[in-house]
């Protein structure tokens, strides 16, 4: 019996000592996985976007990201990782070298070389035809100029065999040719071995099935981080004003993604990564969201630190000015703040976007609300029934209306060019015109530029739009910008009265393009709140698993060259809503605009 007890005690002691050892081994494995995937991510971006081989364009890069992640994760040592990276990228970039030295060397010119090729990225070609990624060919084998269709995109000239050296891990450097030699058959550098390996790689990638709930696969989730991080790393135009350690963000996001076990958890991880870009255009959506998403039949706004109903669809037992206290058993204010946490952009844009997300849910589901009206509270269940947001945020005229004696109101989100022209004579001779830019245009966005033409008697210009021109990775300072500033011609008759523009935190993108002109040329008073602080044409990333990411692909500066991103257009007459005003069905923005116009008319 005593012997049995001793054995039992010995077994317990062994198990207790083994548990920490197992935990340490598990932690070591997890850390090695993180190091491995991070190294693959770095090399993936450099090769995909900047190594100009013919093989590069024969690869499905989404599938390759999944394949690469699955391979490197299992490497147990630094040397094994380096070997795996070589095997992965050799079929695509046979002229790339991985070494322990960072000394840069150029490719030697082969005898059969006739000309050169290199990448020219105008933005980056993904899913917006306004952005291009092209392999440019030179006339000879000495240097390459970036001229296309008679347009010189940059004065920068790359030399034959020019190579960059980038650190992939603390011990490994990648030597990546930016310029490759070509002969009559294409880029030079492939071997029989690399050609055979490329064919095998293509066959393997073709077998990767992206249709069977791929977001449940950890490799797909990690691949999506790799792809997304690299696009921002090399092409996002606002990291000069957004203060974030993007390298550390890669590490943190991969680390979190390795802990995620569901698609919903991964969505939050991806949103958290993109929030750090402070890109107000940033949006993460899944293809299923479009078919399943529906909205509550009312709108809300954040007023006096509370979630307040601002407008309601007819037939619903709610009123403007009602305060939502709880939603589905959670504090409405806490839920609202949680939504803001994962939204990218300025505080005013976060707040506006959260109001949109607050009323969004799944079709056929319902929201259980606790609502405060005056001194009383009541519970009510409202179904998510509307496929589109059919309720306006404000109680206001829907098109062009006379709102006071000789004062007209124009809802630019709803007005068509025909409506505008029909009322042109009245608008021209009015004592004042209020242009409401609290809402993105749904009828015709060209009304905005045409509207500006009637407010000036000389040629004016838009803000400074710059498309990034990238020859080098990591948003290198040697890269260039393509300026797209355009002019706006005056039209007759010019409006005679006082002009007032209405803006708020949800006035973004195209609306800010208009308001930038208004601000610079002082075309009228600006009543309301600071605009969103995000402008520039968007681009889209389509990821494995049906995820679509929207982001800003070009830089916009104010007319004087100063920063617009995260700054926006400030009002000349600030206005904030109150719960009392909403409850009374009033619009303090319009009221203030009328007051300004009347004051000016009185002075005259």
């Amino acid at each position: 019996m005593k012997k049995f007890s001793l054995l039992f005690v010995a077994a317990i002691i062994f198990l207790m000592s083994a548990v920490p050892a197992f935990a340490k081994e598990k932690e070591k494995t997890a850390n090695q996985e993180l190091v491995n995937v991070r190294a693959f991510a770095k090399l993936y971006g450099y090769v995909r976007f900047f190594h100009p081989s013919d093989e590069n364009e024969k690869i499905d890069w989404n599938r390759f990201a999944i394949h690469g992640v699955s391979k490197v994760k299992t490497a147990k040592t630094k040397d094994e990782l380096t070997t795996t990276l070589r095997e992965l990228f050799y079929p695509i970039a046979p002229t790339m070298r991985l070494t322990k030295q960072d000394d840069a060397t150029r490719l030697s010119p082969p005898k059969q070389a006739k000309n050169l090729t290199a990448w020219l990225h105008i933005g980056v070609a993904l899913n917006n035809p306004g952005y291009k990624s092209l392999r440019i060919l030179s006339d000879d084998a000495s240097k390459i100029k970036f001229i296309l269709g008679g347009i010189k995109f940059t004065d920068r000239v790359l030399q034959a065999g020019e190579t960059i050296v980038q650190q992939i891990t603390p011990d490994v450097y990648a030597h990546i040719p930016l310029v490759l030699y070509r002969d009559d058959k294409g880029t030079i550098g492939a071997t029989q071995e690399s050609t055979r390996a490329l064919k095998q790689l293509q066959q393997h990638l073709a077998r990767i099935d992206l249709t069977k709930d791929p977001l449940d696969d950890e490799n797909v989730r990690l691949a999506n981080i790799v792809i997304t991080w690299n696009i921002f790393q090399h092409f996002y135009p606002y990291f000069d004003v957004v203060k974030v350690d993007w390298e550390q963000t890669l590490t943190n996001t991969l680390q979190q993604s390795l802990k995620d076990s569901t698609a919903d958890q991964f969505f939050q991880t991806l949103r958290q990564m993109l929030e750090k870009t402070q890109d107000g255009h940033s949006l993460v959506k899944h293809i299923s969201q479009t078919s399943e998403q529906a909205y509550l039949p009312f709108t809300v706004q954040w007023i006096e630190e509370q979630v307040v109903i601002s407008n309601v669809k007819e037939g619903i037992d709610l009123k403007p000015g009602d305060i939502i206290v709880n939603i589905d058993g959670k504090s409405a204010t806490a839920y609202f703040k949680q939504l803001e946490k994962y939204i990218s952009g300025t505080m005013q844009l976060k707040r506006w976007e959260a109001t949109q997300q607050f009323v969004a849910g799944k079709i056929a589901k319902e929201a259980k609300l606790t609502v405060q009206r005056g001194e009383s509270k009541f519970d009510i269940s409202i179904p998510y029934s509307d496929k589109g947001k059919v309720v306006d945020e404000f109680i206001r005229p829907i098109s062009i209306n006379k709102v006071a004696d000789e004062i007209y109101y124009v809802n630019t989100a709803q007005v068509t060019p025909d409506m505008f022209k029909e009322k042109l004579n009245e608008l021209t001779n009015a004592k004042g015109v209020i242009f409401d830019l609290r809402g993105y245009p749904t009828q015709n966005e060209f009304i905005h530029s045409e509207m500006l033409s009637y407010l000036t008697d000389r040629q004016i210009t838009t803000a400074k739009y710059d498309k990034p021109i990238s020859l080098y990775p990591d948003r290198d300072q040697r890269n260039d910008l393509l300026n797209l500033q355009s002019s706006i011609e005056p039209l007759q008759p010019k409006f005679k009265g006082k002009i007032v523009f209405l803006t708020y935190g949800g006035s973004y993108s195209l609306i800010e393009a208009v308001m930038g002109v208004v601000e610079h040329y002082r075309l009228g008073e600006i009543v309301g709140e600071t605009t969103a602080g995000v402008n520039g044409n968007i681009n889209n990333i389509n990821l494995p698993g049906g995820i679509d990411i929207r982001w800003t692909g070009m830089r916009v500066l104010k007319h004087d060259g100063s920063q617009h991103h995260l700054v926006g257009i400030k009002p000349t007459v600030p206005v904030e809503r109150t719960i009392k005003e909403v409850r009374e069905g009033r619009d303090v923005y319009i009221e203030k605009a009328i007051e300004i116009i009347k004051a000016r008319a009185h002075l005259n």
Side-chain angles (χ1 to χ4, degrees):
M1 186 72 178
K2 186 176 181 181
K3 183 177 180 182
F4 174 78
S5 298
L6 289 172
L7 287 171
F8 179 75
V9 171
I12 293 296
I13 292 171
F14 171 76
L15 288 172
M16 289 176 65
S17 63
V19 167
F22 290 147
K24 285 182 180 178
E25 186 61 32
K26 187 176 180 181
E27 182 181 354
K28 181 180 177 182
T29 301
N31 288 341
Q32 186 63 52
E33 275 188 346
L34 177 61
V35 168
N36 295 351
V37 177
R38 194 184 191 287
F40 171 76
K42 296 282 289 183
L43 194 52
Y44 173 94
Y46 292 131
V47 175
R48 174 179 174 179
F49 295 113
F50 297 97
H51 188 271
S53 64
D54 290 349
E55 293 83 357
N56 185 306
E57 295 190 320
K58 298 175 182 177
I59 292 296
D60 182 325
W61 283 99
N62 280 1
R63 283 184 163 86
F64 181 76
I66 298 168
H67 171 65
V69 164
S70 70
K71 289 294 184 183
V72 298
K73 273 170 54 181
T74 59
K76 293 180 172 57
T77 65
K78 293 186 289 186
D79 289 344
E80 192 176 335
L81 171 61
T82 304
T83 299
T84 303
L85 290 173
R86 281 198 185 101
E87 291 173 350
L88 280 168
F89 286 95
Y90 177 60
I92 309 166
T95 54
M96 182 194 73
R97 296 184 302 121
L98 297 179
T99 72
K100 293 185 178 181
Q101 292 80 37
D102 63 351
D103 53 318
T105 57
R106 288 188 178 179
L107 292 178
S108 300
K111 290 181 180 179
Q112 71 271 36
K114 292 195 171 181
N115 63 345
L116 309 169
T117 186
W119 279 109
L120 167 67
H121 296 287
I122 307 165
V124 60
L126 296 169
N127 294 285
N128 183 330
Y131 299 107
K132 305 290 182 186
S133 293
L134 308 164
R135 285 194 304 152
I136 301 298
L137 304 181
S138 68
D139 295 326
D140 57 38
S142 64
K143 59 189 176 184
I144 185 164
K145 297 179 180 179
F146 294 89
I147 301 172
L148 190 63
I151 300 173
K152 181 189 282 190
F153 286 91
T154 176
D155 291 330
R156 183 73 56 182
V157 174
L158 295 186
Q159 302 300 318
E162 189 164 338
T163 299
I164 55 169
V165 180
Q166 304 291 338
Q167 191 171 23
I168 304 303
T169 73
D171 306 300
V172 176
Y173 293 88
H175 301 247
I176 305 161
L178 294 179
V179 181
L180 287 179
Y181 292 98
R182 298 181 76 259
D183 60 16
D184 291 333
K185 296 179 181 178
T187 51
I188 299 171
T191 64
Q192 286 185 342
E193 183 185 356
S194 71
T195 302
R196 188 164 51 248
L198 177 67
K199 187 174 182 180
Q200 292 171 351
L201 175 61
Q202 289 172 316
Q203 291 170 346
H204 183 86
L205 297 183
R207 290 193 294 269
I208 295 177
D209 187 356
L210 297 180
T211 62
K212 297 179 180 179
D213 298 322
L215 287 180
D216 292 333
D217 185 337
E218 180 182 81
N219 294 329
V220 175
R221 297 196 296 267
L222 291 170
N224 284 341
I225 299 298
V226 168
I227 296 165
T228 304
W229 182 87
N230 270 292
I231 288 169
F232 278 84
Q233 168 67 10
H234 299 298
F235 304 108
Y236 182 53
Y238 286 120
F239 275 136
D240 60 329
V241 295
V242 173
K243 305 308 176 188
V244 59
D245 187 338
W246 195 237
E247 291 278 349
Q248 186 60 46
T249 298
L250 173 61
T251 302
N252 295 345
T253 307
L254 289 173
Q255 198 166 37
Q256 183 57 50
S257 189
L258 284 164
K259 296 175 184 176
D260 293 339
S261 57
T262 68
D264 286 342
Q265 289 173 346
F266 173 69
F267 257 73
Q268 293 297 74
T269 298
L270 193 56
R271 288 190 178 107
Q272 201 160 26
M273 178 178 84
L274 293 174
E275 188 276 334
K276 297 185 183 304
T277 66
Q278 297 183 47
D279 180 5
H281 277 138
S282 175
L283 182 67
V284 183
K285 292 190 77 171
H286 192 271
I287 51 174
S288 64
Q289 282 181 265
T290 304
S291 59
E292 297 176 2
Q293 188 162 282
Y295 295 89
L296 295 170
F298 59 83
T299 55
V300 299
Q301 292 184 348
W302 182 258
I303 304 173
E304 298 176 20
E305 300 297 311
Q306 298 182 87
V307 181
V308 180
I309 293 176
S310 60
N311 203 356
V312 183
K313 188 177 180 180
E314 190 175 346
I316 305 299
D317 192 19
L318 292 169
K319 295 180 179 180
D322 287 347
I323 298 167
I324 300 179
V325 179
N326 293 317
I327 179 167
D328 296 328
K330 298 173 289 191
S331 161
T333 56
Y335 176 56
F336 193 92
K337 292 289 187 182
Q338 184 68 12
L339 291 174
E340 287 182 340
K341 181 181 175 183
Y342 293 97
I343 297 169
S344 189
T346 57
M347 193 64 243
Q348 63 267 27
L349 181 60
K350 283 173 176 277
R351 191 142 289 170
W352 174 77
E353 181 61 35
T355 67
Q356 312 302 297
Q357 294 184 18
F358 189 92
V359 296
K362 289 187 176 181
I363 193 77
K365 300 290 185 181
E366 63 178 19
K368 294 179 171 61
L369 308 176
T370 300
V371 178
Q372 181 172 338
R373 181 180 295 163
E375 299 298 320
S376 63
K377 289 184 181 179
F378 59 93
D379 294 327
I380 186 171
S381 294
I382 305 286
Y384 294 95
S385 55
D386 295 313
K387 290 297 290 179
K389 288 176 275 190
V390 297
V391 185
D392 195 345
E393 297 170 76
F394 300 91
I395 300 171
R396 56 181 167 180
I398 61 170
S399 57
I400 301 177
N401 288 74
K402 184 188 285 188
V403 290
D405 183 33
E406 296 186 65
I407 299 175
Y408 282 80
Y409 165 91
V410 180
N411 186 336
T412 64
Q414 301 295 332
V415 169
T416 65
D418 287 342
M419 290 178 186
F420 190 73
K421 287 176 182 176
E422 184 181 328
K423 294 287 187 179
L424 187 57
N425 187 56
E426 291 100 313
L427 296 173
T428 300
N429 295 295
K431 182 164 49 179
V433 179
I434 303 165
F435 289 106
D436 193 344
L437 282 87
R438 296 172 298 168
Y440 209 81
T442 59
Q443 298 298 324
N444 192 315
E445 61 186 50
F446 294 106
I447 186 66
H448 290 82
S449 58
E450 187 174 335
M451 172 183 80
L452 294 175
S453 293
Y454 290 102
L455 307 182
T456 179
D457 50 15
R458 62 190 174 100
Q459 184 188 75
I460 55 180
T461 64
T462 63
K464 298 176 183 293
Y465 287 78
D466 294 324
K467 279 188 183 179
I469 302 297
S470 302
L471 312 180
Y472 297 91
D474 300 319
R475 306 173 317 283
D476 192 291
Q477 290 188 354
R478 289 171 292 180
N479 289 329
D480 217 330
L481 295 165
L482 179 64
N483 184 265
L484 300 174
Q485 190 174 34
S486 58
S487 61
I488 300 170
E489 300 296 332
L491 289 175
Q492 292 296 325
K494 183 186 175 187
F495 286 16
K496 299 174 183 177
K498 177 71 174 176
I499 306 298
V500 179
F501 297 87
L502 309 183
T503 64
Y504 73 146
S507 301
Y508 71 99
S509 198
L510 169 66
I511 296 170
E512 292 189 279
V514 174
M515 292 311 302
V517 177
V518 171
E519 178 187 54
H520 180 71
Y521 291 101
R522 300 180 181 179
L523 299 181
E525 295 285 359
I526 304 171
V527 170
E529 302 166 64
T530 303
T531 62
V534 54
N535 199 3
N537 290 354
I538 62 167
N539 208 339
N540 289 80
I541 309 169
N542 293 148
L543 295 173
I547 294 176
D548 180 75
I549 293 178
R550 187 182 72 188
W551 59 291
T552 307
M554 66 165 60
R555 187 182 75 170
V556 180
L557 298 175
K558 292 184 182 250
H559 288 71
D560 61 4
S562 63
Q563 179 181 337
H564 172 84
H565 190 72
L566 302 178
V567 174
I569 311 297
K570 299 185 186 302
T572 56
V573 183
V575 162
E576 286 188 11
R577 303 200 82 181
T578 65
I579 296 174
K580 180 177 182 294
E581 167 231 326
V582 174
R583 192 177 293 134
E584 293 170 354
R586 295 162 46 216
D587 189 331
V588 69
Y589 296 78
I590 296 177
E591 290 176 2
K592 178 57 71 173
I594 292 172
E595 179 187 317
I596 290 168
I597 293 169
K598 285 184 174 179
R600 189 249 195 179
H602 178 72
L603 288 174
N604 290 345

